[in-house]
Amino acid sequence: MSYRFALTLFALIFSFGQPESRAQSTVPARALKDSAKFPIGVALNVGNAPGDMADIREIAALINAQFNSIVAENGMKMRFLHPAIDTYDFAAADALADYARTHGMILHGHALIWHHDYQLPVWMKNYQGDWQAMLRDHVQQICQHFAGKVKSWDVVNEAIDNKHPKQYRATLFLEKLGPAYIEQAFIAAHEADPAAVLYYNDFNMESKADKLQFMLDMVDDFQRRHIPLHGIGFQMHVSVDSPAIAQIKTALQAVAARGLKVRISELDVSLNQQQRAASLDPALAQLQKARYREIVSAYVQSVSPAQRGGITFWGLLDKDSWLLDGKPYPDWPLLFDDKGQTKPAYFGVLEGLKE
Ligand code: XIL
């Protein structure tokens, strides 16, 4: 009898004598991380209050049981890490890195360059000097600091225009440096931490054929010119019925065919964009389960084991999902309900992992 088997048997026998503690447990028998042969991650919304890990402590048991990879949902974005031109604030992110190390988890870094107005440091918006040198320094200070702690980075986030997906997005970076800022960021990151796996991350690349093609053209160009880009992150903020699973597979396969790593980097499945539901009824929950299952299964089928950078869910509990921010209607996009109980969606993921 193997040690592991003996342990399981012991746990089983013991649990029969403990009906109450079993009933109260929020952790199902088979954890996500143990069911997958690639990293299973979750975004944690810590870091806006520097150094404060309290919100993690409340949900730590669930995180530790289910996930082996974490990412800061906000706390490692530009404005938090680099609040003034000569000031880097690594305290909160260091605490997250410590947490990852202590619990044997991967820390994925998100994101070195992102145009979003609320995330651009104010000083950067007003910067008048040498933009190429400034961005290079930004990328390198951060990558050097986290070398050995952050395994992979979203180096550039959302650089392709979403409304006119045949062009780069009109950002401050594009205005100052042209599209070259993207490759410059990858080169700078690679120099600063040659071991880090470097991703380009974006959304709607599975739903918009033009956007997918534009990204693939960028990848092909980078590969021809040996720019150190190692993978593509598909954010995958999808709804229960769109985009079609065939489109998702096409997109994953196109990147896999180029030999790159593929992450599903910010997965959530919104149920209520039509604003029709007042509560999560069983029928909706089953639809969501099937959706999670087909996405996870598409990933496993489309991306070879060596190319799987993993799947990260964009939040843990429904109530904390960014999709609820400022919305007058409810939604339930994640795998765990507000109390940390598994939803059918959770079992959809487990089933998808088996396929
Ligand atoms: C979101 C966070 O989840 C929110 O808490 C925050 O208010 C805005 O940013 N694409 C990304 C993520 O790359 O960084 C975004 O995260 C969601 C969309």
Side-chain angles (χ1 to χ4, degrees):
M1 185 158 55
S2 79
Y3 176 67
R4 228 196 167 133
F5 181 69
L7 261 185
T8 316
L9 201 66
F10 177 77
L12 259 177
I13 294 166
F14 184 71
S15 70
F16 283 126
Q18 306 281 320
E20 275 204 3
S21 70
R22 248 175 100 74
Q24 282 166 11
S25 166
T26 53
V27 180
R30 190 94 171 109
L32 296 175
K33 65 176 183 183
D34 302 324
S35 309
K37 298 188 189 77
F38 50 82
I40 295 284
V42 62
L44 298 176
N45 207 354
V46 292
N48 296 345
D52 178 10
M53 294 289 283
D55 24 357
I56 279 200
R57 266 181 232 119
E58 269 178 33
I59 46 176
L62 194 52
I63 299 167
N64 300 343
Q66 295 289 345
F67 301 95
N68 51 19
S69 172
I70 53 178
V71 57
E73 182 172 346
N74 288 297
M76 290 176 73
K77 290 172 181 171
M78 304 179 86
R79 183 174 277 197
F80 295 117
L81 292 189
H82 196 175
I85 187 160
D86 293 323
T87 311
Y88 287 86
D89 181 354
F90 293 130
D94 280 346
L96 198 63
D98 282 347
Y99 185 90
R101 187 178 38 84
T102 316
H103 294 90
M105 294 171 172
I106 290 169
L107 179 60
H108 174 79
H110 172 82
L112 294 169
I113 304 274
W114 193 28
H115 69 278
H116 211 293
D117 190 60
Y118 96 104
Q119 266 311 321
L120 271 182
V122 177
W123 65 266
M124 200 180 270
K125 292 184 195 174
N126 302 320
Y127 186 70
Q128 298 292 342
D130 177 341
W131 266 79
Q132 184 175 343
M134 180 273 284
L135 275 188
R136 180 180 160 80
D137 197 51
H138 166 83
V139 166
Q140 295 206 320
Q141 296 275 352
I142 295 173
C143 285
Q144 267 155 20
H145 178 84
F146 290 104
K149 299 177 185 165
V150 163
K151 185 174 179 193
S152 50
W153 281 103
D154 292 333
V155 177
V156 178
N157 194 30
E158 304 183 348
I160 301 173
D161 198 301
N162 194 49
K163 289 203 190 92
H164 310 283
K166 288 183 176 170
Q167 61 194 44
Y168 284 111
R169 184 191 288 270
T171 64
L172 195 55
F173 314 121
L174 193 83
E175 179 193 318
K176 301 292 181 189
L177 296 169
Y181 82 86
I182 302 172
E183 64 200 63
Q184 287 164 7
F186 279 92
I187 292 167
H190 187 59
E191 268 176 28
D193 181 5
V197 184
L198 305 181
Y199 285 87
Y200 174 75
N201 195 56
D202 211 330
F203 63 103
N204 280 354
M205 298 183 294
E206 55 294 326
S207 58
K208 297 188 174 181
D210 284 355
K211 194 165 180 177
L212 177 67
Q213 192 54 53
F214 193 83
M215 179 273 286
L216 294 171
D217 290 347
M218 178 188 83
V219 165
D220 291 342
D221 173 45
F222 280 15
Q223 290 193 322
R224 267 194 302 273
R225 295 189 294 117
H226 306 290
I227 306 295
L229 163 78
H230 308 126
I232 296 296
F234 291 88
Q235 291 185 7
M236 209 70 80
H237 297 292
V238 297
S239 78
V240 73
D241 45 16
S242 97
I245 195 67
Q247 288 174 285
I248 293 178
K249 283 186 189 159
T250 301
L252 298 174
Q253 285 164 5
V255 172
R258 284 158 170 82
L260 290 181
K261 293 228 172 204
V262 181
R263 294 180 83 235
I264 294 185
S265 54
E266 307 182 10
L267 181 57
D268 48 30
V269 173
S270 62
L271 289 171
N272 206 16
Q273 293 197 342
Q274 318 296 331
Q275 308 182 29
R276 291 196 193 113
S279 65
L280 176 61
D281 64 44
L284 262 184
Q286 287 303 316
L287 283 179
Q288 187 181 45
K289 174 183 178 184
R291 183 67 165 155
Y292 267 111
R293 176 184 170 155
E294 71 176 5
I295 292 172
V296 171
S297 162
Y299 180 73
V300 175
Q301 285 168 20
S302 306
V303 184
S304 75
Q307 289 173 278
R308 291 178 199 152
I311 298 182
T312 285
F313 299 88
W314 206 241
L316 185 72
L317 310 181
D318 274 343
K319 70 179 168 72
D320 298 326
S321 166
W322 74 301
L323 293 171
L324 276 59
D325 291 350
K327 299 271 171 60
Y329 54 90
D331 211 330
W332 310 270
L334 297 167
L335 305 186
F336 298 91
D337 71 11
D338 296 354
K339 297 199 174 98
Q341 304 284 341
T342 48
K343 293 162 60 192
Y346 172 91
F347 296 96
V349 172
L350 278 185
E351 287 172 21
L353 287 171
K354 277 195 219 126
E355 285 170 14

